[in-house]
Amino acid sequence: MSVARGSADFSGVALRTLRNTRRVDGRLLSAAALGARVGTSKARILSYERGRSTPEPARIVQLAEVFRVSPVLLSASDARYSSIRDLRVQAGLTAAEVAGHIGVSRTTYRDIERLARLPVRDNGGLRHVLAACLRVKPVDIDRVLHQHPVAIARRAQITDQFREVFQRAHERGTPAVVEPGDPELLVIASLVQRAPTVICRLVNHELDRFRKLLKDRGVAELEAAYAQSERAAEQAGERQKRITGLLDTAPVRSADRLSVFLAEAMPAKQWRAMVALADAGPDGVALSRAVAEYEIWGALLDRSFADYLVRADGAACVLNRRGRGVIRADFRMYACLYPRVGVPLLAGGPAVTARPGRRRPRRSTGRL
């Protein structure tokens, strides 16, 4: 089957099935009648159905609208997921049109569809621009990128590396750390397209979490062994089993956490603005330079991390409930990603434990 430039897979069989089984205005459509409704000929419709030619995305949308179905039903793909390409076809757009709308090259956009990830140098707004272009929500973009087979395979590779790295945590009396030149770390850095030094901090953070689980299981084992009652022993045993389950699935969870965090992480300037908002409290940060800083503050407003507040002395930006949740949930990982940005007071303390030769992150002054 030939595939036209800029279009997704198209099923001529699906089109013929719809035409022969789904009534439109009370009757089945002939090839000529269907062609008339979408502005083409009988011969072209038959060519679509026989797989000799493939309609452009806009034409696929027209055909789907005639039968009042989703354009996805006319796809030849048997995948159990919706991809960015599927969303594009539903919107009736070619790859070139989407690339032009979101301001990236055709090659970059093709990589988004093929590799299921946004450009690393994204300023945090591309996901929203792409979602608006495809007429979906940003969360839909995250979902289809996350469940694409290429992304799943990438996370499986990262999981294998974490499994190797976590073996270090079982060695008693030895610090469980990785260095930027370790083979496992270099593989992870290559898969997520980040600098080894950055990934080193994030992986060591995951190692710290794993080592803590090992410690908690050891405590549970001792509690079970020296329990003063049958009930206490049973509770300690259940806690031990639960922690063992967490240890067994830790490589998978760490790979997922790292992949999702890096895919959605905001740029350093935006995170610095989040820290400033957290430290500013309910009064927020004045937007006296709102136009010049719109790339920063506008992105936080668009992502619903902050609210726009009109004060007597001018407009301000205030951290909202969702923004506070992001800070509490991710401040440690952001401290690894951007160690030179201060730790927000809202987080209640240093984001990471300083190691020899590593400078502890300074507190924010609340200024940009």
Side-chain angles (χ1 to χ4, degrees):
M1 180 182 70
S2 63
V3 179
R5 179 179 178 83
S7 69
D9 291 338
F10 176 80
S11 173
V13 174
L15 177 61
R16 183 169 62 250
T17 300
L18 283 174
R19 188 170 62 79
N20 292 331
T21 61
R22 193 174 186 89
R23 295 181 179 274
V24 178
D25 296 334
R27 65 188 180 90
L28 298 177
L29 297 180
S30 65
L34 177 58
R37 285 176 176 261
V38 297
T40 191
S41 64
K42 170 185 176 180
R44 181 57 62 85
I45 295 296
L46 292 176
S47 179
Y48 293 159
E49 292 182 354
R50 293 167 182 167
R52 294 176 179 172
S53 63
T54 302
E56 287 291 317
R59 177 59 53 79
I60 295 176
V61 172
Q62 285 182 314
L63 292 168
E65 288 176 347
V66 170
F67 296 105
R68 297 181 181 179
V69 298
S70 169
V72 173
L73 293 181
L74 294 175
S75 172
S77 174
D78 60 356
R80 292 172 293 175
Y81 66 94
S82 294
S83 65
I84 293 292
R85 184 182 63 182
D86 294 331
L87 297 179
R88 171 171 61 78
V89 172
Q90 289 185 61
L93 299 170
T94 65
E97 289 170 338
V98 176
H101 183 85
I102 66 177
V104 300
S105 68
R106 295 186 185 184
T107 300
T108 297
Y109 177 72
R110 292 285 185 184
D111 284 345
I112 294 175
E113 290 194 357
R114 182 173 60 89
L115 301 177
R117 59 186 172 198
L118 298 175
V120 174
R121 295 187 180 277
D122 172 29
N123 65 1
L126 184 59
R127 178 182 289 100
H128 294 266
V129 175
L130 180 58
C133 177
L134 301 180
R135 297 192 285 276
V136 297
K137 297 178 180 179
V139 68
D140 295 323
I141 300 296
D142 295 332
R143 175 180 57 81
V144 298
L145 290 175
H146 186 75
Q147 67 186 21
H148 193 284
V150 173
I152 293 174
R154 189 161 53 236
R155 290 197 301 277
Q157 290 180 274
I158 297 174
T159 298
D160 291 340
Q161 303 308 313
F162 268 115
R163 192 170 286 113
E164 293 292 328
V165 166
F166 285 168
Q167 290 301 316
R168 307 180 187 197
H170 292 275
E171 299 177 7
R172 298 185 178 184
T174 303
V177 296
V178 294
E179 300 297 337
D182 289 352
E184 297 88 357
L185 188 73
L186 293 177
V187 173
I188 295 175
S190 175
L191 289 169
V192 299
Q193 294 188 314
R194 297 279 183 161
T197 52
V198 172
I199 300 305
C200 184
R201 293 191 293 267
L202 288 166
V203 171
N204 277 322
H205 170 64
E206 294 299 319
L207 261 173
D208 289 341
R209 296 169 66 109
F210 189 82
R211 178 64 73 89
K212 185 179 185 302
L213 283 175
L214 287 174
K215 177 183 176 181
D216 291 343
R217 186 174 66 175
V219 172
E221 290 174 352
L222 290 174
E223 290 177 346
Y226 295 95
Q228 298 298 307
S229 67
E230 184 176 342
R231 177 58 178 166
E234 181 180 340
Q235 291 177 338
E238 291 176 353
R239 187 160 56 253
Q240 182 181 342
K241 290 180 181 178
R242 179 180 60 82
I243 297 173
T244 298
L246 292 175
L247 288 167
D248 291 341
T249 58
V252 174
R253 291 184 292 107
S254 289
D256 284 347
R257 185 161 45 240
L258 180 67
S259 299
V260 171
F261 172 72
L262 291 177
E264 301 178 0
M266 62 190 77
K269 289 184 179 180
Q270 289 180 24
W271 176 243
R272 183 175 282 108
M274 287 281 284
V275 172
L277 287 174
D279 291 351
D283 292 334
V285 174
L287 297 182
S288 57
R289 296 175 295 169
V291 176
E293 298 176 346
Y294 182 79
E295 179 183 355
I296 301 174
W297 300 104
L300 298 183
L301 294 170
D302 290 341
R303 298 179 73 169
S304 300
F305 294 156
D307 295 328
Y308 187 76
L309 177 66
V310 178
R311 307 186 308 196
D313 58 346
C317 198
V318 180
L319 193 69
N320 60 25
R321 181 177 181 180
R322 183 180 179 187
R324 289 192 293 271
V326 169
I327 286 180
R328 289 193 175 99
D330 295 335
F331 79 94
R332 290 181 177 86
M333 296 191 76
Y334 273 110
C336 297
L337 188 60
Y338 306 126
R340 294 185 179 182
V341 178
V343 178
L345 299 175
L346 177 63
V352 293
T353 300
R355 296 190 178 94
R358 180 173 298 176
R359 185 173 61 183
R360 184 184 300 273
R362 61 180 177 78
R363 287 196 177 276
S364 167
T365 62
R367 296 179 297 175
L368 294 183

